[in-house]
Amino acid sequence: MSGIYLARTNQKLAFTRIHLDQLKRAQDDTSWSKHALIESYNESVLFHMASAYDAFLREIAELYRVDTESLDGYRSLAAELEATGVESPELKQLSLLEADEAGWLHKLMSAYEACWHGSDKQAALTETNSLSEIHVLQVNPDHAEDKAIVAEYEMWFTALSELVNRLREGMQEW
């Protein structure tokens, strides 16, 4: 393993932590640009977490000698491994997390995807979406749930970091 994706995953996790800290500071800001800062950091936190997840998928691909440049997310890696007849315990765990609509990874990826869409309408919170997804979808959110969004991001960040560390330990065993 070259370690380039390991380093990239670590870098993106570090960037997430930096942007989470900046998001918290932005909430205490009193300048006229407070809400712009909050929205900017909301999206950058999602970007860096999604990028860390993508880099980690490439770490797994590299371990199983799959072309990392052709990957386009979890399903792409699963298809590549299936085509070669390789079973990956890491992918089994990720499969469960991605499929659980009420779970943190599914919500994280949905919130990240919401960055590419917009809506003027207030969306209702359901079990399968998150405050951050609803917040990002709104063009002009009222920022009433900002503290809850930070808590949600911190939970996702912790879960992602723990997942990466746990799966890396398993990957090193063989």
PDB file of all heavy atoms in Angstrom, residues 75-111:
ATOM      1  N   ARG A  75     -20.756   1.949  -3.924  1.00  0.00           N
ATOM      2  CA  ARG A  75     -21.320   0.954  -4.846  1.00  0.00           C
ATOM      3  C   ARG A  75     -20.332   0.573  -5.939  1.00  0.00           C
ATOM      4  O   ARG A  75     -20.261  -0.573  -6.366  1.00  0.00           O
ATOM      5  CB  ARG A  75     -22.629   1.460  -5.423  1.00  0.00           C
ATOM      6  CG  ARG A  75     -23.759   1.389  -4.413  1.00  0.00           C
ATOM      7  CD  ARG A  75     -25.054   2.036  -4.937  1.00  0.00           C
ATOM      8  NE  ARG A  75     -26.089   2.013  -3.930  1.00  0.00           N
ATOM      9  CZ  ARG A  75     -26.145   2.804  -2.866  1.00  0.00           C
ATOM     10  NH1 ARG A  75     -25.202   3.698  -2.668  1.00  0.00           N
ATOM     11  NH2 ARG A  75     -27.127   2.724  -1.998  1.00  0.00           N
ATOM     12  N   SER A  76     -19.571   1.513  -6.387  1.00  0.00           N
ATOM     13  CA  SER A  76     -18.553   1.261  -7.398  1.00  0.00           C
ATOM     14  C   SER A  76     -17.491   0.298  -6.870  1.00  0.00           C
ATOM     15  O   SER A  76     -17.095  -0.652  -7.561  1.00  0.00           O
ATOM     16  CB  SER A  76     -17.916   2.586  -7.821  1.00  0.00           C
ATOM     17  OG  SER A  76     -16.826   2.392  -8.655  1.00  0.00           O
ATOM     18  N   LEU A  77     -17.047   0.519  -5.647  1.00  0.00           N
ATOM     19  CA  LEU A  77     -16.053  -0.363  -5.037  1.00  0.00           C
ATOM     20  C   LEU A  77     -16.652  -1.755  -4.839  1.00  0.00           C
ATOM     21  O   LEU A  77     -15.996  -2.764  -5.128  1.00  0.00           O
ATOM     22  CB  LEU A  77     -15.567   0.207  -3.707  1.00  0.00           C
ATOM     23  CG  LEU A  77     -14.577  -0.656  -2.914  1.00  0.00           C
ATOM     24  CD1 LEU A  77     -13.350  -1.002  -3.749  1.00  0.00           C
ATOM     25  CD2 LEU A  77     -14.187   0.059  -1.632  1.00  0.00           C
ATOM     26  N   ALA A  78     -17.881  -1.822  -4.372  1.00  0.00           N
ATOM     27  CA  ALA A  78     -18.538  -3.117  -4.176  1.00  0.00           C
ATOM     28  C   ALA A  78     -18.637  -3.883  -5.493  1.00  0.00           C
ATOM     29  O   ALA A  78     -18.381  -5.095  -5.537  1.00  0.00           O
ATOM     30  CB  ALA A  78     -19.926  -2.912  -3.564  1.00  0.00           C
ATOM     31  N   ALA A  79     -18.974  -3.189  -6.566  1.00  0.00           N
ATOM     32  CA  ALA A  79     -19.076  -3.833  -7.880  1.00  0.00           C
ATOM     33  C   ALA A  79     -17.719  -4.345  -8.353  1.00  0.00           C
ATOM     34  O   ALA A  79     -17.617  -5.447  -8.903  1.00  0.00           O
ATOM     35  CB  ALA A  79     -19.676  -2.860  -8.898  1.00  0.00           C
ATOM     36  N   GLU A  80     -16.669  -3.545  -8.150  1.00  0.00           N
ATOM     37  CA  GLU A  80     -15.316  -3.962  -8.543  1.00  0.00           C
ATOM     38  C   GLU A  80     -14.882  -5.204  -7.776  1.00  0.00           C
ATOM     39  O   GLU A  80     -14.315  -6.133  -8.360  1.00  0.00           O
ATOM     40  CB  GLU A  80     -14.314  -2.831  -8.305  1.00  0.00           C
ATOM     41  CG  GLU A  80     -14.446  -1.670  -9.253  1.00  0.00           C
ATOM     42  CD  GLU A  80     -13.923  -1.975 -10.645  1.00  0.00           C
ATOM     43  OE1 GLU A  80     -13.002  -2.806 -10.783  1.00  0.00           O
ATOM     44  OE2 GLU A  80     -14.445  -1.377 -11.588  1.00  0.00           O
ATOM     45  N   LEU A  81     -15.132  -5.227  -6.485  1.00  0.00           N
ATOM     46  CA  LEU A  81     -14.737  -6.379  -5.679  1.00  0.00           C
ATOM     47  C   LEU A  81     -15.557  -7.610  -6.045  1.00  0.00           C
ATOM     48  O   LEU A  81     -15.031  -8.726  -6.114  1.00  0.00           O
ATOM     49  CB  LEU A  81     -14.853  -6.065  -4.187  1.00  0.00           C
ATOM     50  CG  LEU A  81     -13.822  -5.091  -3.641  1.00  0.00           C
ATOM     51  CD1 LEU A  81     -14.085  -4.789  -2.174  1.00  0.00           C
ATOM     52  CD2 LEU A  81     -12.416  -5.617  -3.828  1.00  0.00           C
ATOM     53  N   GLU A  82     -16.834  -7.408  -6.283  1.00  0.00           N
ATOM     54  CA  GLU A  82     -17.688  -8.528  -6.682  1.00  0.00           C
ATOM     55  C   GLU A  82     -17.233  -9.112  -8.016  1.00  0.00           C
ATOM     56  O   GLU A  82     -17.206 -10.330  -8.202  1.00  0.00           O
ATOM     57  CB  GLU A  82     -19.146  -8.075  -6.773  1.00  0.00           C
ATOM     58  CG  GLU A  82     -20.110  -9.221  -6.989  1.00  0.00           C
ATOM     59  CD  GLU A  82     -21.554  -8.766  -6.954  1.00  0.00           C
ATOM     60  OE1 GLU A  82     -21.909  -7.961  -6.074  1.00  0.00           O
ATOM     61  OE2 GLU A  82     -22.319  -9.223  -7.831  1.00  0.00           O
ATOM     62  N   ALA A  83     -16.839  -8.265  -8.941  1.00  0.00           N
ATOM     63  CA  ALA A  83     -16.383  -8.725 -10.259  1.00  0.00           C
ATOM     64  C   ALA A  83     -15.116  -9.575 -10.150  1.00  0.00           C
ATOM     65  O   ALA A  83     -14.894 -10.467 -10.968  1.00  0.00           O
ATOM     66  CB  ALA A  83     -16.130  -7.528 -11.173  1.00  0.00           C
ATOM     67  N   THR A  84     -14.298  -9.291  -9.139  1.00  0.00           N
ATOM     68  CA  THR A  84     -13.067 -10.067  -8.971  1.00  0.00           C
ATOM     69  C   THR A  84     -13.258 -11.236  -8.010  1.00  0.00           C
ATOM     70  O   THR A  84     -12.314 -11.995  -7.782  1.00  0.00           O
ATOM     71  CB  THR A  84     -11.923  -9.165  -8.453  1.00  0.00           C
ATOM     72  OG1 THR A  84     -12.304  -8.611  -7.192  1.00  0.00           O
ATOM     73  CG2 THR A  84     -11.586  -8.065  -9.438  1.00  0.00           C
ATOM     74  N   GLY A  85     -14.445 -11.353  -7.433  1.00  0.00           N
ATOM     75  CA  GLY A  85     -14.731 -12.461  -6.525  1.00  0.00           C
ATOM     76  C   GLY A  85     -14.146 -12.298  -5.140  1.00  0.00           C
ATOM     77  O   GLY A  85     -14.051 -13.261  -4.379  1.00  0.00           O
ATOM     78  N   VAL A  86     -13.769 -11.096  -4.788  1.00  0.00           N
ATOM     79  CA  VAL A  86     -13.167 -10.826  -3.481  1.00  0.00           C
ATOM     80  C   VAL A  86     -14.251 -10.379  -2.511  1.00  0.00           C
ATOM     81  O   VAL A  86     -15.100  -9.562  -2.840  1.00  0.00           O
ATOM     82  CB  VAL A  86     -12.084  -9.726  -3.602  1.00  0.00           C
ATOM     83  CG1 VAL A  86     -11.565  -9.317  -2.236  1.00  0.00           C
ATOM     84  CG2 VAL A  86     -10.962 -10.180  -4.497  1.00  0.00           C
ATOM     85  N   GLU A  87     -14.202 -10.945  -1.305  1.00  0.00           N
ATOM     86  CA  GLU A  87     -15.114 -10.510  -0.250  1.00  0.00           C
ATOM     87  C   GLU A  87     -14.346  -9.617   0.717  1.00  0.00           C
ATOM     88  O   GLU A  87     -13.228  -9.922   1.098  1.00  0.00           O
ATOM     89  CB  GLU A  87     -15.699 -11.707   0.485  1.00  0.00           C
ATOM     90  CG  GLU A  87     -16.736 -12.438  -0.337  1.00  0.00           C
ATOM     91  CD  GLU A  87     -17.570 -13.375   0.512  1.00  0.00           C
ATOM     92  OE1 GLU A  87     -17.822 -13.060   1.691  1.00  0.00           O
ATOM     93  OE2 GLU A  87     -17.956 -14.412  -0.019  1.00  0.00           O
ATOM     94  N   SER A  88     -14.983  -8.533   1.105  1.00  0.00           N
ATOM     95  CA  SER A  88     -14.343  -7.578   1.999  1.00  0.00           C
ATOM     96  C   SER A  88     -15.196  -7.390   3.247  1.00  0.00           C
ATOM     97  O   SER A  88     -16.331  -6.912   3.156  1.00  0.00           O
ATOM     98  CB  SER A  88     -14.185  -6.241   1.275  1.00  0.00           C
ATOM     99  OG  SER A  88     -13.937  -5.209   2.185  1.00  0.00           O
ATOM    100  N   PRO A  89     -14.661  -7.741   4.413  1.00  0.00           N
ATOM    101  CA  PRO A  89     -15.424  -7.506   5.644  1.00  0.00           C
ATOM    102  C   PRO A  89     -15.676  -6.014   5.878  1.00  0.00           C
ATOM    103  O   PRO A  89     -16.696  -5.631   6.446  1.00  0.00           O
ATOM    104  CB  PRO A  89     -14.543  -8.103   6.746  1.00  0.00           C
ATOM    105  CG  PRO A  89     -13.223  -8.349   6.138  1.00  0.00           C
ATOM    106  CD  PRO A  89     -13.381  -8.379   4.659  1.00  0.00           C
ATOM    107  N   GLU A  90     -14.745  -5.175   5.409  1.00  0.00           N
ATOM    108  CA  GLU A  90     -14.921  -3.731   5.555  1.00  0.00           C
ATOM    109  C   GLU A  90     -16.150  -3.264   4.773  1.00  0.00           C
ATOM    110  O   GLU A  90     -16.954  -2.468   5.265  1.00  0.00           O
ATOM    111  CB  GLU A  90     -13.687  -2.974   5.051  1.00  0.00           C
ATOM    112  CG  GLU A  90     -12.408  -3.287   5.784  1.00  0.00           C
ATOM    113  CD  GLU A  90     -11.713  -4.559   5.305  1.00  0.00           C
ATOM    114  OE1 GLU A  90     -12.040  -5.060   4.206  1.00  0.00           O
ATOM    115  OE2 GLU A  90     -10.857  -5.054   6.037  1.00  0.00           O
ATOM    116  N   LEU A  91     -16.285  -3.786   3.561  1.00  0.00           N
ATOM    117  CA  LEU A  91     -17.417  -3.391   2.728  1.00  0.00           C
ATOM    118  C   LEU A  91     -18.738  -3.903   3.291  1.00  0.00           C
ATOM    119  O   LEU A  91     -19.766  -3.239   3.134  1.00  0.00           O
ATOM    120  CB  LEU A  91     -17.221  -3.888   1.289  1.00  0.00           C
ATOM    121  CG  LEU A  91     -17.228  -2.790   0.246  1.00  0.00           C
ATOM    122  CD1 LEU A  91     -16.311  -1.660   0.571  1.00  0.00           C
ATOM    123  CD2 LEU A  91     -17.017  -3.319  -1.126  1.00  0.00           C
ATOM    124  N   LYS A  92     -18.714  -5.040   3.951  1.00  0.00           N
ATOM    125  CA  LYS A  92     -19.944  -5.551   4.578  1.00  0.00           C
ATOM    126  C   LYS A  92     -20.423  -4.575   5.651  1.00  0.00           C
ATOM    127  O   LYS A  92     -21.609  -4.274   5.736  1.00  0.00           O
ATOM    128  CB  LYS A  92     -19.726  -6.941   5.156  1.00  0.00           C
ATOM    129  CG  LYS A  92     -19.640  -7.998   4.087  1.00  0.00           C
ATOM    130  CD  LYS A  92     -19.511  -9.370   4.663  1.00  0.00           C
ATOM    131  CE  LYS A  92     -19.363 -10.330   3.485  1.00  0.00           C
ATOM    132  NZ  LYS A  92     -19.444 -11.692   3.808  1.00  0.00           N
ATOM    133  N   GLN A  93     -19.494  -4.084   6.451  1.00  0.00           N
ATOM    134  CA  GLN A  93     -19.870  -3.120   7.485  1.00  0.00           C
ATOM    135  C   GLN A  93     -20.371  -1.814   6.873  1.00  0.00           C
ATOM    136  O   GLN A  93     -21.360  -1.240   7.314  1.00  0.00           O
ATOM    137  CB  GLN A  93     -18.685  -2.842   8.401  1.00  0.00           C
ATOM    138  CG  GLN A  93     -18.362  -3.988   9.319  1.00  0.00           C
ATOM    139  CD  GLN A  93     -17.262  -3.634  10.290  1.00  0.00           C
ATOM    140  OE1 GLN A  93     -17.263  -2.545  10.867  1.00  0.00           O
ATOM    141  NE2 GLN A  93     -16.329  -4.549  10.480  1.00  0.00           N
ATOM    142  N   LEU A  94     -19.672  -1.344   5.842  1.00  0.00           N
ATOM    143  CA  LEU A  94     -20.088  -0.107   5.182  1.00  0.00           C
ATOM    144  C   LEU A  94     -21.447  -0.274   4.509  1.00  0.00           C
ATOM    145  O   LEU A  94     -22.248   0.654   4.495  1.00  0.00           O
ATOM    146  CB  LEU A  94     -19.033   0.342   4.175  1.00  0.00           C
ATOM    147  CG  LEU A  94     -17.682   0.724   4.771  1.00  0.00           C
ATOM    148  CD1 LEU A  94     -16.685   1.045   3.672  1.00  0.00           C
ATOM    149  CD2 LEU A  94     -17.817   1.869   5.750  1.00  0.00           C
ATOM    150  N   SER A  95     -21.692  -1.454   3.973  1.00  0.00           N
ATOM    151  CA  SER A  95     -22.976  -1.742   3.342  1.00  0.00           C
ATOM    152  C   SER A  95     -24.126  -1.579   4.337  1.00  0.00           C
ATOM    153  O   SER A  95     -25.159  -0.976   4.026  1.00  0.00           O
ATOM    154  CB  SER A  95     -22.975  -3.161   2.775  1.00  0.00           C
ATOM    155  OG  SER A  95     -24.252  -3.525   2.319  1.00  0.00           O
ATOM    156  N   LEU A  96     -23.928  -2.126   5.526  1.00  0.00           N
ATOM    157  CA  LEU A  96     -24.959  -1.999   6.567  1.00  0.00           C
ATOM    158  C   LEU A  96     -25.179  -0.539   6.955  1.00  0.00           C
ATOM    159  O   LEU A  96     -26.312  -0.089   7.114  1.00  0.00           O
ATOM    160  CB  LEU A  96     -24.579  -2.822   7.797  1.00  0.00           C
ATOM    161  CG  LEU A  96     -24.543  -4.334   7.609  1.00  0.00           C
ATOM    162  CD1 LEU A  96     -23.979  -5.011   8.852  1.00  0.00           C
ATOM    163  CD2 LEU A  96     -25.934  -4.867   7.290  1.00  0.00           C
ATOM    164  N   LEU A  97     -24.080   0.200   7.095  1.00  0.00           N
ATOM    165  CA  LEU A  97     -24.185   1.609   7.473  1.00  0.00           C
ATOM    166  C   LEU A  97     -24.842   2.447   6.376  1.00  0.00           C
ATOM    167  O   LEU A  97     -25.656   3.325   6.662  1.00  0.00           O
ATOM    168  CB  LEU A  97     -22.802   2.178   7.805  1.00  0.00           C
ATOM    169  CG  LEU A  97     -22.176   1.675   9.098  1.00  0.00           C
ATOM    170  CD1 LEU A  97     -20.723   2.114   9.184  1.00  0.00           C
ATOM    171  CD2 LEU A  97     -22.965   2.161  10.303  1.00  0.00           C
ATOM    172  N   GLU A  98     -24.478   2.190   5.138  1.00  0.00           N
ATOM    173  CA  GLU A  98     -25.055   2.964   4.031  1.00  0.00           C
ATOM    174  C   GLU A  98     -26.540   2.647   3.840  1.00  0.00           C
ATOM    175  O   GLU A  98     -27.310   3.503   3.450  1.00  0.00           O
ATOM    176  CB  GLU A  98     -24.284   2.707   2.737  1.00  0.00           C
ATOM    177  CG  GLU A  98     -22.958   3.400   2.713  1.00  0.00           C
ATOM    178  CD  GLU A  98     -22.664   4.113   1.412  1.00  0.00           C
ATOM    179  OE1 GLU A  98     -23.544   4.165   0.526  1.00  0.00           O
ATOM    180  OE2 GLU A  98     -21.549   4.636   1.295  1.00  0.00           O
ATOM    181  N   ALA A  99     -26.929   1.396   4.101  1.00  0.00           N
ATOM    182  CA  ALA A  99     -28.311   0.983   3.879  1.00  0.00           C
ATOM    183  C   ALA A  99     -29.258   1.452   4.982  1.00  0.00           C
ATOM    184  O   ALA A  99     -30.464   1.566   4.758  1.00  0.00           O
ATOM    185  CB  ALA A  99     -28.382  -0.533   3.756  1.00  0.00           C
ATOM    186  N   ASP A 100     -28.730   1.744   6.150  1.00  0.00           N
ATOM    187  CA  ASP A 100     -29.560   2.154   7.288  1.00  0.00           C
ATOM    188  C   ASP A 100     -29.964   3.620   7.136  1.00  0.00           C
ATOM    189  O   ASP A 100     -29.205   4.522   7.464  1.00  0.00           O
ATOM    190  CB  ASP A 100     -28.783   1.945   8.587  1.00  0.00           C
ATOM    191  CG  ASP A 100     -29.574   2.331   9.820  1.00  0.00           C
ATOM    192  OD1 ASP A 100     -30.778   2.666   9.703  1.00  0.00           O
ATOM    193  OD2 ASP A 100     -28.981   2.304  10.918  1.00  0.00           O
ATOM    194  N   GLU A 101     -31.183   3.842   6.665  1.00  0.00           N
ATOM    195  CA  GLU A 101     -31.640   5.209   6.390  1.00  0.00           C
ATOM    196  C   GLU A 101     -31.703   6.090   7.636  1.00  0.00           C
ATOM    197  O   GLU A 101     -31.678   7.303   7.530  1.00  0.00           O
ATOM    198  CB  GLU A 101     -32.987   5.183   5.681  1.00  0.00           C
ATOM    199  CG  GLU A 101     -32.901   4.633   4.280  1.00  0.00           C
ATOM    200  CD  GLU A 101     -34.217   4.691   3.534  1.00  0.00           C
ATOM    201  OE1 GLU A 101     -35.224   5.182   4.089  1.00  0.00           O
ATOM    202  OE2 GLU A 101     -34.232   4.243   2.380  1.00  0.00           O
ATOM    203  N   ALA A 102     -31.780   5.479   8.798  1.00  0.00           N
ATOM    204  CA  ALA A 102     -31.808   6.254  10.038  1.00  0.00           C
ATOM    205  C   ALA A 102     -30.412   6.379  10.646  1.00  0.00           C
ATOM    206  O   ALA A 102     -30.248   7.020  11.681  1.00  0.00           O
ATOM    207  CB  ALA A 102     -32.755   5.604  11.049  1.00  0.00           C
ATOM    208  N   GLY A 103     -29.416   5.800  10.001  1.00  0.00           N
ATOM    209  CA  GLY A 103     -28.063   5.788  10.538  1.00  0.00           C
ATOM    210  C   GLY A 103     -27.249   7.004  10.147  1.00  0.00           C
ATOM    211  O   GLY A 103     -27.561   7.734   9.204  1.00  0.00           O
ATOM    212  N   TRP A 104     -26.164   7.184  10.860  1.00  0.00           N
ATOM    213  CA  TRP A 104     -25.334   8.372  10.696  1.00  0.00           C
ATOM    214  C   TRP A 104     -24.688   8.460   9.315  1.00  0.00           C
ATOM    215  O   TRP A 104     -24.617   9.549   8.752  1.00  0.00           O
ATOM    216  CB  TRP A 104     -24.278   8.447  11.804  1.00  0.00           C
ATOM    217  CG  TRP A 104     -23.213   7.401  11.716  1.00  0.00           C
ATOM    218  CD1 TRP A 104     -23.218   6.177  12.328  1.00  0.00           C
ATOM    219  CD2 TRP A 104     -22.007   7.462  10.967  1.00  0.00           C
ATOM    220  NE1 TRP A 104     -22.079   5.486  11.995  1.00  0.00           N
ATOM    221  CE2 TRP A 104     -21.319   6.240  11.159  1.00  0.00           C
ATOM    222  CE3 TRP A 104     -21.434   8.429  10.140  1.00  0.00           C
ATOM    223  CZ2 TRP A 104     -20.093   5.966  10.559  1.00  0.00           C
ATOM    224  CZ3 TRP A 104     -20.207   8.160   9.541  1.00  0.00           C
ATOM    225  CH2 TRP A 104     -19.555   6.939   9.764  1.00  0.00           C
ATOM    226  N   LEU A 105     -24.187   7.360   8.758  1.00  0.00           N
ATOM    227  CA  LEU A 105     -23.498   7.445   7.474  1.00  0.00           C
ATOM    228  C   LEU A 105     -24.473   7.777   6.347  1.00  0.00           C
ATOM    229  O   LEU A 105     -24.170   8.604   5.481  1.00  0.00           O
ATOM    230  CB  LEU A 105     -22.742   6.146   7.164  1.00  0.00           C
ATOM    231  CG  LEU A 105     -21.918   6.152   5.877  1.00  0.00           C
ATOM    232  CD1 LEU A 105     -20.888   7.288   5.870  1.00  0.00           C
ATOM    233  CD2 LEU A 105     -21.232   4.812   5.670  1.00  0.00           C
ATOM    234  N   HIS A 106     -25.625   7.162   6.385  1.00  0.00           N
ATOM    235  CA  HIS A 106     -26.636   7.463   5.365  1.00  0.00           C
ATOM    236  C   HIS A 106     -27.047   8.942   5.449  1.00  0.00           C
ATOM    237  O   HIS A 106     -27.145   9.628   4.431  1.00  0.00           O
ATOM    238  CB  HIS A 106     -27.858   6.553   5.551  1.00  0.00           C
ATOM    239  CG  HIS A 106     -28.876   6.715   4.482  1.00  0.00           C
ATOM    240  ND1 HIS A 106     -28.832   6.009   3.303  1.00  0.00           N
ATOM    241  CD2 HIS A 106     -29.961   7.515   4.399  1.00  0.00           C
ATOM    242  CE1 HIS A 106     -29.845   6.362   2.535  1.00  0.00           C
ATOM    243  NE2 HIS A 106     -30.545   7.272   3.181  1.00  0.00           N
ATOM    244  N   LYS A 107     -27.244   9.424   6.661  1.00  0.00           N
ATOM    245  CA  LYS A 107     -27.624  10.824   6.850  1.00  0.00           C
ATOM    246  C   LYS A 107     -26.512  11.776   6.416  1.00  0.00           C
ATOM    247  O   LYS A 107     -26.773  12.815   5.814  1.00  0.00           O
ATOM    248  CB  LYS A 107     -28.014  11.087   8.299  1.00  0.00           C
ATOM    249  CG  LYS A 107     -29.349  10.473   8.670  1.00  0.00           C
ATOM    250  CD  LYS A 107     -29.699  10.787  10.105  1.00  0.00           C
ATOM    251  CE  LYS A 107     -31.043  10.206  10.483  1.00  0.00           C
ATOM    252  NZ  LYS A 107     -31.427  10.577  11.851  1.00  0.00           N
ATOM    253  N   LEU A 108     -25.278  11.416   6.737  1.00  0.00           N
ATOM    254  CA  LEU A 108     -24.132  12.235   6.329  1.00  0.00           C
ATOM    255  C   LEU A 108     -24.090  12.367   4.815  1.00  0.00           C
ATOM    256  O   LEU A 108     -23.981  13.477   4.277  1.00  0.00           O
ATOM    257  CB  LEU A 108     -22.827  11.624   6.842  1.00  0.00           C
ATOM    258  CG  LEU A 108     -21.517  12.115   6.211  1.00  0.00           C
ATOM    259  CD1 LEU A 108     -21.301  13.597   6.468  1.00  0.00           C
ATOM    260  CD2 LEU A 108     -20.344  11.305   6.711  1.00  0.00           C
ATOM    261  N   MET A 109     -24.191  11.259   4.116  1.00  0.00           N
ATOM    262  CA  MET A 109     -24.107  11.295   2.659  1.00  0.00           C
ATOM    263  C   MET A 109     -25.314  12.005   2.048  1.00  0.00           C
ATOM    264  O   MET A 109     -25.185  12.723   1.053  1.00  0.00           O
ATOM    265  CB  MET A 109     -23.945   9.882   2.098  1.00  0.00           C
ATOM    266  CG  MET A 109     -22.641   9.200   2.556  1.00  0.00           C
ATOM    267  SD  MET A 109     -21.140  10.210   2.388  1.00  0.00           S
ATOM    268  CE  MET A 109     -20.986  10.281   0.604  1.00  0.00           C
ATOM    269  N   SER A 110     -26.479  11.861   2.655  1.00  0.00           N
ATOM    270  CA  SER A 110     -27.670  12.580   2.180  1.00  0.00           C
ATOM    271  C   SER A 110     -27.523  14.080   2.379  1.00  0.00           C
ATOM    272  O   SER A 110     -27.897  14.876   1.515  1.00  0.00           O
ATOM    273  CB  SER A 110     -28.927  12.091   2.909  1.00  0.00           C
ATOM    274  OG  SER A 110     -29.193  10.758   2.565  1.00  0.00           O
ATOM    275  N   ALA A 111     -26.975  14.475   3.523  1.00  0.00           N
ATOM    276  CA  ALA A 111     -26.754  15.899   3.788  1.00  0.00           C
ATOM    277  C   ALA A 111     -25.742  16.472   2.810  1.00  0.00           C
ATOM    278  O   ALA A 111     -25.899  17.598   2.309  1.00  0.00           O
ATOM    279  CB  ALA A 111     -26.296  16.105   5.232  1.00  0.00           C
TER     280      ALA A 111
END
